[in-house]
Amino acid sequence: MNPTENEGPTFPKRFDFREAETRIYARWIENNAFQSAYKPDGTIVDEARAQKPPFVVVIPPPNITGRLHMGHALNNTLQDVLVRAKRMDGFDALWIPGTDHAGIATQTIVKKQLDAQGIDYRTLGREEVIKRIWAWRNEYGDAILNQLRRMGCSCDWSRTRFTMDEGMSHAVRLAFSKLYDQGLIYRGKRIVNWCPVDQTALADDEVEKEDEKGKLYFIRYPFVDNPSEHLVVATTRPETLFGDTAVAIHPEHPELARHIGRQVLVPLQERVVPIIGDEHADPEKGTGCVKITPAHDPNDFEVGLRHNLEAITVMNEDASMNDIVPAKYRGMDRYVCRKEALADLEAQGLLEKTIDHVLAMGRSYRSRVPIEFRLSDQWFVKMGPLAAKALEASGYRRSGDEWTRTETPEIRLHPDRFEKVYFHWLSNIRDWCISRQIWWGHRIPAWFHRETGELIVSAETPERVAASPDEWTQDPDVLDTWFSSWLWPMSVFGWPERTPDFERYYPTSVLSTAKDILFFWVARMNFAGLHFAEKLPYQNVYLHSTIADDRGMTMSKSKGNGIDPLTLIDGATVDDLKRPVFEARPSNMKELIKRIEKNWAEGFEAVGADAMRWTLVFCITEGDNIRLSLDRFTEGRNFVTKLWNGAGRVITALDAEISSGRSSTAGDPIAPPTDEDEWLLARLDSTIRAVRSALDVFDFGGMAKALYRFVWDDFCAWALELSKTRLSSDDLAVRRGALAVMGTVLTDTLRLLHPVIPFVTEELFQRATIPMTKLGLWLDAPPESALLVRDRFPEPRRDPNPEIEGRFEILQRFVLAVRQLRAASNIPDSTRLSVAVKTIDPQARRMLEQAKAPVAFLARLDSVEFVEARSKGMAAKFDVAFELYLDLARYVDLTDEVARLQKELDKTEKELASAEATLANPNFVSRAPEDKVEAARARQTELEEKLTKLRTTFAEMSSLLSA
């Protein structure tokens, strides 16, 4: 069905999102709806927008190995909200899409494919492996971008970039070369974080540290000059003792300093090492003695440099023991070696004791295995000078070693609580290890002479190398993936060239991203922008919340609690359990299958892109986490359905006006706005202000809640009911007046909602604007575009009108008071009530009399009687504008109701006592999982609130019974 053609008064009962979303997105693409005013070469394609200021967002490029997850869905929805709103507001909006080559992850995927074929990737050689990775990328690398299209993302797809495009690669090589020439990149032998699975170095930010339970081993090191005596050294890693080259004692240790200068034997190999004095040894920790293993600990490495100690590497790249260690342990996995070494130490009487110990375990962010500290030749970026520029851009000035914020910052982080975290990281920064021992990625543009060792760094192959290629070898390592990503906001516009694109669209406007890559990526982009372009890459950074499940646990594939966005959008059945809505590990697959079956048994089905997007935005709070469950997305679907049905009533009335032939020209009369119309227009203006203000400060949740209140309460629950009589009036002017207001308000509402729920609003916009235009009913200018995506964003028509909003709020509070009385008294919704009202505010009586019919409908009333005083035996609800009375004895047996309330009171008091006892148990609070403790606290609060309400109602009922 083509909604651009009038089809009479029939309006579909439901929004068929599966059909509509695909059709609508295709129409946007066909009409270049997402295109910016300029092409990359500077050619103007939209004269009007070319005169407007740009609003630019560059997508955080997802890995080409990635599949859309809830974090992607949230972040890209938020970016789309900003871009769509600014595009509608007249800006030259541009959203650049693209993907990241994801060095380690992509090479790992192709390596696994080769493993499955029985092929060792190393036998193929570097060029062939890279060729196969490119083939994989060309076949699968754009999958996640297609998934973003399915979500409705309004990127300018003609500008899609990839971090290993030739232009991007040139930018990377040039940046490396420039930093090297400026002395900001160096190569050195340093201790690095090493992943034994991926067998590559990792930057500090790629290591995730968590406290874990472990052991502390106390090992005896015999003195060389008196083997019957010994020093006791405490360590968590006994397998590294084969690399010990000293034992350190603090020079001022009151008891042990006297041993400095002696020698000890390293256990299990009897190598002689000195006892040195160094402040690294903390007298308050362990035994006061520290084993020094320069090749396997960064602090020990520094001690080794101070004392000219040998650095002995005892492990291979896969964390197996190498040929330096005694023959028995060679080839063993590090943890197998630990077990064997401890057994041998105990057998030789050299293991004094073992105690439980909590240690900060560093794990690779990708493989999740514990990292090793490894001594190797790596490339590093000096971060101190770059961080200083970023701190100055954040308003800080240095005096000596202290930084103080004295200036207005050029960049803002939202929420602003991340400012302190950002400052702490920048002011305590370490150099960045940028070399990776893999093949897929940007190869380091450095060449070594095979005989002399001479080093040349150049963005392009040096002439000397090209002239004598056999005499030179290029560094085999590639650059950290983040080294290309930190240039992303510049390189997508052609940097290092000062292209028309770069001059027009750099710096960008805002970056929205996850808070866990604030240092991986955001800070480094700031460094690169300031250093290479002398401008920050954006003025605002929005760090969105983390997605958690309904128990508060972060959603992740490893935990098996992630909700698949594509399943929410397109749906699935229980037969699709090979691709379940919950991404699961085999260990909990059975449990998750049961949960999925339960959801479908209860009628869960796909909700579409709009409902998913709405839910994600609506659930945003000021906290760190967004708690989600399938039920929350059903609420999103309900909102979309509410909008569809409410809009359908207006559109049906518009279509009926045309098909009836009673009104067909713009010249027909339109009645002036009624009080109800003025109230609705005032509420619309207030909502427009609230939405605009919320967007300005990135309060997405606040924006959604303002929209929800207007759509659900003001428009659907009130305006539609208040306009019912006029929409069916025999008076042409009255009828057209109601249609003009309702149609105009509906259209502006769709404009406000479009950035969040673009598909359903575009569909309704087409259905509403055509009859509105035919009938000549616009209260102001007609739409500027046939497509909502390119139409204008609403602005308030008038100054705020709190007086009329306040008057109509009286009606809303009155209906709510009736509903509360009904619920507290356990009166069924189907029972129509007769109530009495004493008005305190003179406006209250006038408003109630004028809106008697819709109020009676909304509150399920038979009659409303105005009285001067409360009669004996009547229940009451008090408001500043009125007092509401209800003769409960007409609707309930007061004796039975008091008895029921007493039972409910007793039951609730027992439940509360049990909840309080649970939380008073220190073992439960300290040992139970955090989500269970939080659930228990929430339950206690819920019971306390319920008990307060029950006691109030019980007291009121008891007083009525005795009256």
Side-chain angles (χ1 to χ4, degrees):
M1 179 164 55
N2 187 348
T4 62
E5 298 174 1
N6 179 54
E7 298 164 6
T10 302
F11 184 83
K13 292 183 178 179
R14 56 189 292 273
F15 176 50
D16 184 356
F17 61 83
R18 288 186 178 87
E19 180 277 329
E21 289 177 354
T22 303
R23 166 172 49 79
I24 291 168
Y25 200 86
R27 189 176 180 205
W28 288 334
I29 296 297
E30 288 167 9
N31 286 272
N32 297 317
F34 309 149
Q35 202 172 64
S36 59
Y38 290 81
K39 288 185 177 181
D41 63 3
T43 303
I44 297 176
V45 293
D46 187 330
E47 291 284 354
R49 288 182 186 270
Q51 309 306 315
K52 300 296 179 66
F55 180 84
V56 188
V57 175
V58 293
I59 198 170
N63 291 348
I64 56 173
T65 59
R67 175 180 170 83
L68 194 68
H69 57 62
M70 271 299 153
H72 291 131
L74 171 64
N75 191 31
N76 286 284
T77 294
L78 298 180
Q79 291 172 81
D80 202 28
V81 167
L82 293 171
V83 172
R84 285 179 181 270
K86 289 294 185 179
R87 184 184 291 121
M88 294 175 70
D89 217 14
F91 285 76
D92 177 18
L94 172 60
W95 186 11
I96 297 282
T99 50
D100 191 284
H101 64 278
I104 295 174
T106 308
Q107 181 164 317
T108 299
I109 284 178
V110 175
K111 178 180 176 294
K112 287 180 178 179
Q113 289 182 344
L114 293 171
D115 289 343
Q117 299 169 32
I119 301 173
D120 185 337
Y121 78 100
R122 288 166 293 196
T123 64
L124 292 176
R126 184 180 195 125
E127 289 188 12
E128 179 61 24
V129 169
I130 291 176
K131 180 180 177 182
R132 296 196 182 206
I133 296 175
W134 270 110
W136 183 93
R137 182 263 170 186
N138 291 336
E139 185 172 355
Y140 301 108
D142 289 337
I144 195 164
L145 297 183
N146 293 329
Q147 293 163 5
L148 293 177
R149 289 181 175 93
R150 186 65 192 87
M151 270 184 57
C153 293
S154 63
C155 302
D156 186 344
W157 299 106
S158 67
R159 291 172 167 269
T160 303
R161 303 303 301 271
F162 177 50
T163 52
M164 283 186 64
D165 288 343
E166 179 48 43
M168 313 288 272
S169 294
H170 173 67
V172 168
R173 294 192 302 269
L174 188 71
F176 184 97
S177 177
K178 281 190 172 185
L179 291 171
Y180 179 81
D181 292 342
Q182 294 162 357
L184 293 174
I185 281 183
Y186 64 93
R187 188 171 188 264
K189 194 175 284 291
R190 295 287 188 277
I191 291 286
V192 296
N193 307 299
W194 186 266
C195 174
V197 172
D198 294 318
Q199 296 187 25
T200 184
L202 300 174
D204 291 337
D205 306 318
E206 295 173 308
V207 178
E208 297 176 351
K209 292 185 177 180
E210 292 183 4
D211 287 344
E212 296 185 12
K213 293 179 180 179
K215 301 288 184 182
L216 188 61
Y217 306 97
F218 292 77
I219 301 173
R220 295 167 177 165
Y221 283 59
F223 289 110
V224 170
D225 57 10
N226 186 1
S228 63
E229 296 181 357
H230 53 260
L231 279 179
V232 177
V233 174
T235 180
T236 59
R237 306 183 66 219
E239 66 275 12
T240 64
L241 62 78
F242 301 111
D244 290 356
T245 53
V247 170
I249 295 173
H250 195 284
E252 298 178 5
H253 195 292
E255 299 174 7
L256 299 177
R258 59 191 174 88
H259 295 303
I260 295 172
R262 297 177 71 182
Q263 295 176 314
V264 291
L265 293 170
V266 178
L268 303 182
Q269 56 184 344
E270 298 191 349
R271 181 156 42 83
V272 176
V273 300
I275 300 173
I276 61 174
D278 195 280
E279 293 183 355
H280 169 59
D282 187 343
E284 304 298 323
K285 291 184 178 180
T287 64
C289 305
V290 180
K291 63 192 280 299
I292 303 299
T293 319
H296 290 278
D297 184 274
N299 294 317
D300 291 4
F301 179 75
E302 297 299 326
V303 174
L305 292 178
R306 289 195 290 271
H307 295 271
N308 198 28
L309 300 174
E310 181 183 5
I312 302 173
T313 299
V314 301
M315 293 184 197
N316 298 310
E317 293 183 350
D318 63 355
S320 63
M321 309 307 292
N322 65 18
D323 290 344
I324 293 294
V325 306
K328 173 181 179 179
Y329 308 106
R330 292 172 190 170
M332 285 184 179
D333 173 79
R334 53 183 165 167
Y335 295 120
V336 174
C337 177
R338 176 185 295 182
K339 182 178 179 181
E340 292 295 320
L342 288 170
D344 291 341
L345 287 168
E346 188 166 25
Q348 296 177 27
L350 297 177
L351 182 62
E352 183 164 293
K353 64 178 179 178
T354 301
I355 64 172
D356 292 333
H357 179 70
V358 175
L359 65 155
M361 177 66 75
R363 292 180 178 271
S364 165
Y365 79 107
R366 184 165 299 283
S367 69
R368 301 299 303 154
V369 301
I371 57 105
E372 277 297 333
F373 293 118
R374 183 176 178 82
L375 182 64
S376 62
D377 289 315
Q378 302 289 343
W379 293 89
F380 296 85
V381 176
K382 289 182 181 178
M383 298 293 267
L386 301 178
K389 290 183 181 179
L391 282 167
E392 289 175 358
S394 293
Y396 291 93
R397 296 295 179 266
R398 180 157 50 189
S399 176
D401 293 332
E402 296 293 323
W403 287 92
T404 306
R405 177 170 273 181
T406 60
E407 307 292 331
T408 301
E410 299 170 37
I411 185 172
R412 291 287 187 184
L413 302 185
H414 308 268
D416 60 7
R417 64 177 178 273
F418 289 106
E419 296 276 2
K420 290 183 179 178
V421 182
Y422 180 70
F423 169 76
H424 178 77
W425 188 77
L426 291 189
S427 55
N428 293 275
I429 200 165
R430 296 175 62 183
D431 287 354
W432 174 20
C433 176
I434 56 173
S435 43
R436 297 292 181 270
Q437 289 66 51
I438 57 175
W439 290 344
W440 174 244
H442 298 281
R443 193 167 179 180
I444 291 175
W447 289 262
F448 298 91
H449 195 279
R450 294 181 187 276
E451 293 184 4
T452 66
E454 180 186 354
L455 170 65
I456 300 178
V457 171
S458 173
E460 306 300 336
T461 303
E463 291 182 5
R464 291 171 61 195
V465 173
S468 306
D470 293 340
E471 296 179 9
W472 298 84
T473 182
Q474 186 175 355
D475 193 304
D477 291 351
V478 302
L479 288 163
D480 179 8
T481 297
W482 298 105
F483 195 90
S484 53
S485 298
W486 79 328
L487 303 173
W488 182 253
M490 299 185 297
S491 58
V492 296
F493 298 118
W495 185 89
E497 305 302 325
R498 292 279 177 166
T499 63
D501 225 24
F502 185 84
E503 297 294 342
R504 168 72 175 172
Y505 294 120
Y506 183 88
T508 67
S509 306
V510 63
L511 174 76
S512 174
T513 191
K515 62 179 182 288
D516 55 359
I517 56 173
L518 175 58
F519 312 122
F520 274 125
W521 191 45
V522 179
R524 290 172 181 164
M525 283 192 291
N526 296 347
F527 296 173
L530 288 167
H531 187 76
F532 294 115
E534 299 182 345
K535 291 180 182 178
L536 284 161
Y538 28 68
Q539 297 98 41
N540 291 283
V541 178
Y542 177 74
L543 299 162
H544 65 71
S545 303
T546 300
I547 301 288
D549 63 18
D550 51 2
R551 297 163 295 176
M553 295 177 64
T554 301
M555 280 190 185
S556 71
K557 186 174 182 180
S558 62
K559 293 175 183 174
N561 65 344
I563 299 177
D564 178 6
L566 296 179
T567 300
L568 284 172
I569 294 172
D570 290 321
T573 67
V574 180
D575 294 333
D576 293 329
L577 291 179
K578 290 183 179 178
R579 188 176 70 85
V581 65
F582 291 96
E583 299 170 346
R585 296 174 298 176
S587 60
N588 61 354
M589 182 65 83
K590 289 183 179 178
E591 173 193 346
L592 294 171
I593 287 175
K594 288 181 180 177
R595 290 175 69 179
I596 295 166
E597 289 176 331
K598 179 175 181 290
N599 283 316
W600 262 270
E602 294 175 353
F604 177 83
E605 57 183 27
V607 298
D610 283 332
M612 183 190 72
R613 290 166 61 114
W614 175 262
T615 302
L616 290 171
V617 175
F618 188 80
C619 289
I620 293 175
T621 65
E622 283 294 318
D624 285 337
N625 289 344
I626 298 174
R627 292 196 178 194
L628 291 176
S629 64
L630 288 176
D631 289 342
R632 298 306 299 269
F633 292 99
T634 302
E635 293 171 12
R637 182 183 62 194
N638 293 343
F639 177 77
V640 173
T641 301
K642 187 78 169 181
L643 173 68
W644 180 260
N645 292 339
R649 289 173 62 178
V650 177
I651 293 167
T652 297
L654 288 166
D655 287 339
E657 193 71 15
I658 292 175
S659 62
S660 69
R662 294 183 296 172
S663 171
S664 60
T665 69
D668 287 335
I670 296 177
T674 63
D675 272 2
E676 300 99 281
D677 294 334
E678 296 290 356
W679 164 77
L680 181 59
L681 292 167
R683 282 294 304 128
L684 174 63
D685 281 349
S686 292
T687 304
I688 292 170
R689 291 187 186 92
V691 168
R692 284 182 167 274
S693 296
L695 284 173
D696 286 345
V697 296
F698 308 101
D699 180 11
F700 297 100
M703 172 198 67
K705 288 168 180 61
L707 287 167
Y708 180 91
R709 180 190 171 191
F710 181 76
V711 171
W712 198 281
D713 295 335
D714 298 330
F715 187 77
C716 292
W718 281 90
L720 286 174
E721 295 306 320
L722 291 170
S723 66
K724 230 180 203 179
T725 303
R726 291 188 299 137
L727 287 174
S728 58
S729 172
D730 291 332
D731 186 316
L732 176 63
V734 169
R735 199 169 60 249
R736 283 174 57 82
L739 283 170
V741 171
M742 295 302 291
T744 299
V745 170
L746 170 61
T747 306
D748 264 359
T749 303
L750 297 175
R751 289 173 173 134
L752 286 173
L753 286 165
H754 179 76
V756 188
I757 48 175
F759 293 110
V760 69
T761 50
E762 185 74 74
E763 180 81 349
L764 290 170
F765 182 81
Q766 306 303 316
R767 293 178 178 274
T769 55
I770 292 170
M772 283 287 291
T773 301
K774 283 185 177 180
L775 293 168
L777 293 174
W778 297 109
L779 293 183
D780 43 25
E784 297 172 358
S785 169
L787 290 172
L788 175 55
V789 67
R790 301 291 279 190
D791 199 52
R792 63 180 180 270
F793 202 64
E795 293 189 25
R797 290 174 172 79
R798 311 173 187 179
D799 292 334
N801 190 347
E803 187 270 334
I804 196 165
E805 288 192 54
R807 281 195 280 131
F808 269 79
E809 191 179 327
I810 293 172
L811 295 180
Q812 293 171 310
R813 296 203 307 270
F814 178 83
V815 172
L816 178 62
V818 174
R819 289 172 177 171
Q820 288 174 339
L821 262 182
R822 181 190 295 274
S825 308
N826 204 31
I827 301 173
D829 288 342
S830 58
T831 303
R832 301 187 71 86
L833 306 177
S834 293
V835 297
V837 184
K838 175 185 176 183
T839 55
I840 299 169
D841 186 332
Q843 297 283 1
R845 179 160 186 159
R846 186 170 73 86
M847 295 301 297
L848 286 169
E849 286 178 334
Q850 283 184 348
K852 185 176 290 186
V855 165
F857 174 81
L858 291 166
R860 305 290 293 163
L861 298 178
D862 261 340
S863 63
V864 177
E865 179 186 2
F866 293 95
V867 298
E868 295 300 322
R870 177 184 183 183
S871 299
K872 186 177 180 180
M874 279 195 164
K877 271 287 188 182
F878 300 98
D879 186 274
V880 292
F882 59 83
E883 293 180 6
L884 173 67
Y885 309 134
L886 176 65
D887 184 2
L888 282 180
R890 291 179 58 183
Y891 305 102
V892 296
D893 185 310
L894 292 179
T895 302
D896 289 346
E897 188 60 19
V898 168
R900 183 190 69 80
L901 287 169
Q902 183 64 65
K903 288 182 181 179
E904 189 68 16
L905 265 173
D906 293 343
K907 178 185 175 184
T908 305
E909 286 172 344
K910 289 179 182 177
E911 290 176 344
L912 179 58
S914 175
E916 290 172 340
T918 298
L919 288 168
N921 182 348
N923 289 331
F924 172 78
V925 175
S926 62
R927 295 179 183 177
E930 183 180 347
D931 61 298
K932 289 190 175 181
V933 176
E934 286 302 314
R937 288 180 177 142
R939 176 61 175 161
Q940 179 181 348
T941 301
E942 177 188 338
L943 289 169
E944 288 170 345
E945 292 173 353
K946 180 180 178 181
L947 191 60
T948 299
K949 292 177 181 178
L950 281 171
R951 285 171 174 163
T952 300
T953 304
F954 180 80
E956 290 176 353
M957 288 287 189
S958 298
S959 66
L960 290 173
L961 184 61
S962 60

